[in-house]
Amino acid sequence: MSSRRAMTTVGSLVVVSVSAVLTLPFPAGAEDQGPGSSEGGKVVDAAPAGVRTTTLLPERISVDNASGKTSITATVKNEGTQDGEQIRLLVVGFDGLTVKSVQGCEAITAKDLPEGSNSGFSCAIDHLAAGASKSYAVDATFDLKKTGKICLPVQTGDGAKTYWQQGPVPFGTTNPSPNAPATPLLLGTDNTPVGPVGDELPRTGVGRDLLPLGAAGASLLMAGAAGLWWSRRPAGPRAN
């Protein structure tokens, strides 16, 4: 094969490869979600000396307007100077945001879910080292006709204490995009539902819109240092 012919063949292969890459479909939410944010997070129970557990959620996600599917990265960190004990991260959905799966985690049974929530998963973590973090891929759906919130509590392995809780914090947009392929949502923004009465948020729980975090958020913190609604309940059965 002559060098000119070889170069032509290689060039054609490159074009085909680039075209294949460009035409691969990408799921909603797979793009850069921006830096992680601890917005809506607070300490509940005191952690062991030298341990400082926090969580992060992406600043933005994208919801596919046809399927309602989205993806979220949930991160737990130990920002302290000492290694942590065994803990568990809970990922809980509220209102229009339903958590479908969390990679490597177990579904929380319906009877153990907090009042007002619709779904949740429990992620067991062994001894998170000082300065270390662990991220989980969360598959979810978002009903753009409703508001939607997510909550990330971090508890001891037995659920007796809650060191940190982020949320329930909303994802949403004040500018719905019903005719676009996807709708971008921002963390900490109340969603303006798509529809003719988008200026009025739907009531999806008894009095939930009366408090900054909603009644579900209040129920999460009501027990204070004694723990949260499921603080002494074991995690749900292992998902198949």
Side-chain angles (χ1 to χ4, degrees):
M1 180 183 293
S2 67
S3 60
R4 179 185 299 275
R5 187 175 179 184
M7 291 178 64
T8 302
T9 301
V10 171
S12 299
L13 291 175
V14 170
V15 170
V16 170
S17 299
V18 171
S19 299
V21 171
L22 293 178
T23 56
L24 287 176
F26 293 95
E31 75 281 357
D32 178 24
Q33 297 182 333
S37 171
S38 61
E39 180 172 352
K42 57 279 201 178
V43 173
V44 181
D45 294 317
V51 177
R52 183 171 181 265
T53 306
T54 61
T55 57
L56 298 173
L57 286 166
E59 289 188 346
R60 61 179 179 268
I61 61 175
S62 181
V63 177
D64 185 289
N65 284 342
S67 65
K69 293 180 179 180
T70 186
S71 62
I72 302 170
T73 301
T75 302
V76 59
K77 300 178 62 179
N78 179 4
E79 297 182 342
T81 58
Q82 300 294 322
D83 293 352
E85 59 184 15
Q86 186 181 52
I87 57 175
R88 63 182 185 181
L89 170 70
L90 305 180
V91 183
V92 184
F94 293 85
D95 304 332
L97 194 158
T98 302
V99 180
K100 294 297 186 179
S101 67
V102 181
Q103 186 175 16
C105 302
E106 301 175 352
I108 300 173
T109 60
K111 66 182 181 63
D112 289 328
L113 288 172
E115 182 181 357
S117 69
N118 56 45
S119 54
F121 285 77
S122 176
C123 309
I125 302 170
D126 286 325
H127 312 294
L128 194 62
S133 64
K134 189 172 179 63
S135 295
Y136 293 89
V138 179
D139 288 327
T141 59
F142 198 108
D143 185 347
L144 294 170
K145 296 183 178 65
K146 301 178 181 178
T147 58
K149 298 181 178 69
I150 190 169
C151 187
L152 301 182
V154 180
Q155 302 181 334
T156 53
D158 60 4
K161 292 183 178 180
T162 299
Y163 293 143
W164 172 267
Q165 181 176 301
Q166 184 175 8
V169 61
F171 275 106
T173 178
T174 57
N175 184 25
S177 308
N179 298 321
T183 296
L185 303 182
L186 299 178
L187 183 68
T189 302
D190 286 321
N191 191 48
T192 299
V194 174
V197 290
D199 57 339
E200 181 179 351
L201 299 180
R203 297 174 181 269
T204 55
V206 179
R208 290 199 64 250
D209 55 345
L210 300 180
L211 298 175
L213 294 178
S219 69
L220 294 181
L221 296 174
M222 188 175 296
L228 303 186
W229 21 259
W230 68 72
S231 62
R232 286 182 171 79
R233 294 179 177 177
R238 182 175 300 277
N240 293 327

